[in-house]
Amino acid sequence: MSELAFRIATIAILIIFYLVYFLKMVSQRKKGITTNQIAKGDKPKKVMIIETTMKAATYLVVAAEAVSIFSGWSLLPVNLRVMGILIGIVGDIIFALAVFTMRDSWRAGIPEDDKTSLVTEGIFKYSRNPAFTGFDIVYIGILLIYFNIFLLVLSIWAIVMLHLQILQEEQYLMKSFGQEYSSYKEKVMRYLGRK
């Protein structure tokens, strides 16, 4: 597989991922819903710090991915790079399914005043956090395609920050949905699988 083919495949993975993200935001905006609530509003200090740091991490990892793609940095053999493409595609599919299944309950960041519903159907039967899982899988896929230390460090940082965001969102969901969310947590794992 040529470097140009790897570059095109990786750019396609990123375009599909962010196209799903931004089309959903536009669709919700037309309905008067503010999707992006990351580090906005009057949230507790800890929430603001984690959301702000997560936002920085996700922006920086995209910048590192772009530099890696256009510089052609990769320390892995072709077979692992091809596996990275397949993993990236799986991440796109999981993310798209999550966003579609959440319908108008999807938010980026913890909503302060929005009333949403607890989604437990579709892909949420197998993951409590499929959108974040999709993010992580895309990061891992691209890391395999363009493996370098710079991208490795930033990808790990972004994945850790997404995990901290999940932990905050779980507290929010417990306060918002109580026993309904507690019962759901007992059946479905945080990232992937049923108990």
Side-chain angles (χ1 to χ4, degrees), residues 78-170:
V78 171
N79 59 340
L80 287 177
R81 295 180 78 194
V82 170
M83 186 185 308
I85 292 171
L86 298 175
I87 290 169
I89 292 168
V90 168
D92 277 353
I93 292 167
I94 290 171
F95 181 74
L97 286 171
V99 169
F100 174 77
T101 304
M102 280 188 275
R103 292 185 172 69
D104 287 335
S105 289
W106 182 55
R107 300 292 184 278
I110 295 174
E112 290 185 296
D113 302 319
D114 288 5
K115 196 68 179 162
T116 60
S117 57
L118 181 63
V119 179
T120 60
E121 297 301 314
I123 195 165
F124 287 85
K125 288 181 181 178
Y126 308 101
S127 172
R128 293 196 318 259
N129 298 284
F132 286 115
T133 302
F135 260 98
D136 290 350
I137 292 172
V138 167
Y139 290 156
I140 291 166
I142 294 173
L143 179 61
L144 287 174
I145 302 167
Y146 285 102
F147 187 87
N148 61 75
I149 299 304
F150 180 59
L151 184 56
L152 173 65
V153 169
L154 288 174
S155 296
I156 290 171
W157 181 41
I159 290 169
V160 167
M161 292 313 303
L162 291 172
H163 179 74
L164 294 177
Q165 180 67 17
I166 287 171
L167 297 179
Q168 288 190 146
E169 289 187 9
E170 286 180 348

